[in-house]
């Protein structure tokens, strides 16, 4: 049960004054929640300001800088309403001070209201953004208008928040103030020595200070209030990971005793021998699975480093031991592709494989479920359909999860909650720096694949300005005529799906015109079967060029594709560019990657493209990416922020993460059930940061 002290913070935002159904919808969008019932008062407290307005700047009209937000005290001279029937002409009010004249502009201004707010010959204080045009100063819709005697009601320092269309800054500020008023005096869950060492105030005071900055330094990520909340956020994360791990460890794993019969047949069928780091990773996995504790291992390997083979050897060991394995992918395309890759080896080794995705319906689905339940299906490949209520396994001993970041602790818990306690191997092609591994998967052992399989040729990467696109198309025409295959990637233009589509569709049209009919198109809005059909045609060579949005980023395998063109490369993050580039160079032909960019490049854009030219080492690229733009993108979450973290950032707060990790280990060691005085306060912390699944785990333990 959530502690009653938190009830005011977990009531719906709709209970706040000024929040009707429409405003609630805007808040859902702004705060990134699922829907109005999921959007709570606490979410507003975590919505931190990114800058502030200093209204103490009162330069006088003539000295007000263009575009600055200033405060002006001036006398009202006259009103100029629009002519009758001309509602598109704004209402204007003219004022002056000792230095000059200012026009206030109101679109669809209500005369009655404006005459009351700005009486002629009165002195008023107004605040807003100044625009200069032809030597005249104007201010459109001032933020504040107050009579001279009410001047002290004007907020001199005002926080500026990330916004969404439909909400005004003023109304959001009012709503956040109402949320702050609900903040109770929370218990202290940190040790006094830690509070003292870091100069932290209480969590309640820190939330207040976060939303009531007094000077520019209060907005800095390293301001004391932000560091306190960031520390609590890391601590909640580390604590829930530790609790999960403690529980996962409590449910014993089934020891796996491989005979080598199946894996030997797979290795014999391979056209190459495994690399040193593949052999090492397999040895780690077999060692983990041999004991009674469940394996929880993260397998990191760059694109093309051969993670699938490592997973297959783990699967073979489990099958030799009489168990079943599942391989779970984040999307249908990937699940089907894993099936295509693995079924070749599985057939040689006598493994029976099934695919289960949301697409299987009716009788076909029932047949698959029967084969899984009877144990006839030894390996099941699919999407999260694998863990729905209706699926039961005969003896599931291993779950392999591909692309972890789409797939957090929650899903791991759901698996365990089904009373199934398989060993877990999580694979990611995103090379993740160590600090990030700690933040997101603090509970895992890590194996790294550092070599490329034998026979892979390096990929030549060049950067070309957008103006030379026609030249690239001409060269592409020659390459396709020689029988080569190529990808052409278009970005998300802004973030609206419609415009992303336009860019890919337009490019598809121009390339079809220039190169003839062998050009395919794949984007996220297409239905699964339609996408698969185009991918298949590209794989089989019926199409030679594939225009795509970033849907092809993860795991699409067409070994004879040797050219990758990425349009607007400056819009992509390093990790993503690296992932996309990894789609070529998978066969034995030399490959190239062309990064088309639109200048002028920002400093970061320039650095990013240079690193891509210099190196193919995913781990170096990941470290650079973390340095250049924050960890959020690295794990595929859009916001620049650590996945699942609202205030904490690895760039700014990495030192706190290490302390939080040790603190969490200390707590679990001393008070594993969180029943002591500090333990009970820490339960409140877990609920506050929505980590309550870890508490449910305590009870289920």
């Amino acid at each position: 049960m959530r502690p009653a002290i938190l009830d005011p913070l977990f009531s719906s935002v709709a209970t706040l004054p000024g929040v009707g159904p429409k405003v609630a919808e805007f808040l859902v969008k702004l705060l990134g929640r699922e829907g109005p019932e999921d959007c709570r008062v606490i979410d507003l407290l975590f919505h931190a300001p990114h800058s502030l307005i200093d209204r103490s700047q009162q330069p006088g009209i003539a000295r007000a800088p263009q575009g600055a937000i200033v405060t002006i005290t001036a006398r009202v001279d006259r009103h100029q309403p629009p002519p009758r029937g001309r509602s598109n002409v704004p209402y204007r009010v003219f004022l002056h001070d000792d230095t000059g004249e200012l026009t206030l502009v109101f679109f669809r201004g209500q005369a009655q209201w404006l005459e009351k707010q700005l009486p002629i010959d009165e002195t008023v204080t107004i605040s807003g953004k100044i625009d200069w045009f032809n030597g005249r100063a104007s201010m459109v819709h001032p933020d504040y208008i107050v009579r001279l005697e009410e001047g002290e009601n004007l907020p001199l320092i005002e926080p500026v928040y990330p916004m969404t269309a439909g909400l005004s800054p003023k109304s959001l500020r009012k709503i956040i103030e109402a949320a702050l008023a609900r903040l109770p005096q929370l218990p202290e869950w940190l040790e006094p020595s830690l509070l003292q060492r870091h100069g932290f105030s209480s969590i309640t005071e820190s939330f207040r200070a976060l939303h009531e900055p007094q000077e520019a330094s209060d907005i800095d990520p390293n301001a004391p209030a932000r560091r306190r909340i960031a520390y609590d956020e890391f601590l909640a994360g580390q604590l829930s990971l530790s609790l999960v791990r403690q529980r996962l460890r409590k449910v014993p794993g089934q020891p796996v005793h491989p005979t080598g019969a199946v894996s030997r047949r797979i290795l014999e069928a391979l056209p190459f021998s495994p690399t040193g780091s593949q052999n090492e990773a397999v040895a780690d996995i077999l060692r983990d699975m041999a004991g009674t504790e469940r394996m929880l291992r993260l397998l990191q390997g760059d694109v093309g480093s051969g993670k699938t083979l490592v997973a297959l050897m783990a699967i073979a060991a489990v099958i030799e031991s009489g168990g079943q394995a599942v391989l779970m992918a984040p999307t249908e395309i990937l699940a089907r592709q894993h099936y295509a890759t693995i079924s070749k080896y599985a057939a040689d080794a006598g493994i029976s494989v099934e695919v289960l995705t949301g697409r299987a319906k009716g009788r076909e689905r029932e047949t698959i479920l029967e084969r899984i339940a009877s144990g006839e299906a030894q390996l099941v490949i699919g999407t999260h359909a694998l863990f729905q209520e209706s699926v039961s396994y005969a003896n599931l001993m291993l779950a392999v999860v591909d692309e972890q970041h789409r797939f957090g602790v929650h899903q791991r818990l759901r698996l365990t909650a089904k009373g199934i306690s398989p060993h877990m191997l999580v694979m990611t092609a995103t090379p993740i720096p160590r600090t990030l591994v700690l933040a997101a998967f603090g509970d895992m052992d890590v194996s790294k694949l550092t070599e490329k399989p034998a026979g892979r040729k390096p990929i030549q990467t060049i950067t070309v300005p957008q103006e030379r696109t026609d030249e690239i198309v001409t060269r592409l025409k020659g390459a396709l005529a020689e029988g080569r295959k190529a990808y052409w990637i278009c970005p998300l233009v802004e973030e609206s799906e419609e415009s992303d589509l336009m860019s890919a569709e337009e490019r598809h049209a121009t390339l079809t015109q220039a190169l003839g009919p062998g050009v395919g198109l794949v984007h996220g809005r297409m239905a699964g079967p339609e996408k698969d059909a185009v991918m298949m045609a590209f794989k089989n060579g019926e199409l030679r060029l594939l225009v795509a949005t970033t849907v092809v980023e993860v795991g699409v395998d067409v070994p004879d594709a040797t050219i990758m063109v990425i349009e607007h490369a400056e819009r992509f993050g390093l990790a993503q560019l690296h992932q996309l580039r990894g789609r070529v160079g998978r066969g034995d032909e030399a490959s190239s990657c062309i990064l088309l960019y639109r200048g002028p490049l920002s400093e970061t854009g320039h650095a990013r493209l240079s690193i891509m030219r210099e190196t193919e080492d995913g781990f170096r690229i990941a470290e650079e990416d973390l340095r250049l733009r924050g960890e959020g993108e690295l794990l595929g979450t859009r916001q620049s922020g650590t996945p699942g973290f609202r205030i904490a950032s690895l760039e700014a707060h990495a030192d706190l993460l290490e302390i939080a990790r040790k603190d969490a280990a200390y707590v679990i060691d001393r008070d594993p059930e969180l029943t002591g005085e500090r333990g009970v306060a820490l339960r409140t912390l877990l609920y506050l940061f929505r980590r309550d699944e870890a508490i449910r785990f305590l009870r289920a333990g």
Side-chain angles (χ1 to χ4, degrees), residues 111-244:
Q112 229 176 336
W113 184 81
L114 288 167
E115 282 161 11
K116 193 171 159 215
Q117 289 290 320
L118 295 155
I120 291 175
D121 287 340
E122 281 272 352
T123 299
V124 291
T125 299
I126 49 165
S127 183
K129 188 169 151 197
I130 284 282
D131 280 308
W132 283 92
F133 188 69
N134 284 345
R136 301 181 77 87
S138 68
M139 190 183 281
V140 180
H141 292 276
D143 301 330
Y144 288 96
I145 304 172
V146 295
R147 302 275 177 95
L148 189 59
E149 61 275 15
E150 296 163 359
E152 65 270 14
N153 298 346
L154 186 72
L156 286 182
I157 303 286
E158 195 179 358
V160 180
Y161 291 91
M163 293 302 295
T164 186
L167 269 179
S168 74
K170 210 168 180 177
S171 59
L172 177 63
R173 177 74 193 141
K174 277 210 166 96
I175 294 165
I176 287 179
E177 279 171 358
L180 275 172
R182 300 249 176 119
L183 191 61
Q185 196 58 49
L186 292 166
E188 186 51 80
W189 42 72
L190 298 188
E191 293 284 9
S193 57
L194 185 86
L195 291 170
Q196 207 176 345
R197 193 162 66 246
H198 292 277
F200 288 157
S201 49
S202 75
I203 184 72
T204 310
E205 282 164 34
S206 300
F207 272 122
R208 289 220 160 83
L210 180 71
H211 293 284
E212 292 163 3
Q214 298 305 307
E215 51 194 69
S217 63
D218 294 342
I219 295 292
D220 189 273
N222 279 314
R226 290 193 183 226
R227 277 180 70 82
R228 160 78 212 231
I229 299 170
Y231 182 79
D232 282 346
E233 195 161 20
F234 279 148
L235 182 59
Q238 292 299 311
L239 205 51
S240 67
L241 285 171
S242 303
L243 288 169
V244 168

Side-chain angles (χ1 to χ4, degrees), residues 431-434 618-628 634:
I432 310 171
R434 183 175 165 277
F619 288 97
R620 184 181 156 205
I621 285 172
E623 296 288 353
E624 288 293 334
D625 206 17
L626 184 59
R627 196 176 60 77
L628 286 174
L634 226 58

Side-chain angles (χ1 to χ4, degrees), residues 249-327:
R249 291 279 194 236
K250 266 195 185 166
V251 182
Q254 286 182 346
V256 172
H257 303 299
T259 61
V262 180
S263 51
R264 203 166 23 255
R265 299 216 289 270
I266 294 171
L267 290 170
E268 281 164 8
L270 287 179
F272 53 84
S273 37
T275 64
S277 56
Q278 279 175 318
N279 287 331
E280 245 170 77
V282 172
D284 287 342
I285 290 166
L286 295 182
R287 196 171 44 250
D288 285 358
M289 295 197 300
T292 51
E293 281 206 348
R294 293 168 61 191
M295 168 175 79
L296 259 183
R297 186 166 281 278
L298 178 67
L299 177 64
Q300 282 186 272
D302 220 333
V303 172
S305 59
K307 293 184 294 296
T308 312
L309 175 63
V310 173
L312 197 53
M313 298 311 282
I315 290 164
V318 162
I319 290 171
E320 291 164 2
S321 202
Q324 284 171 300
V326 294
L327 169 56

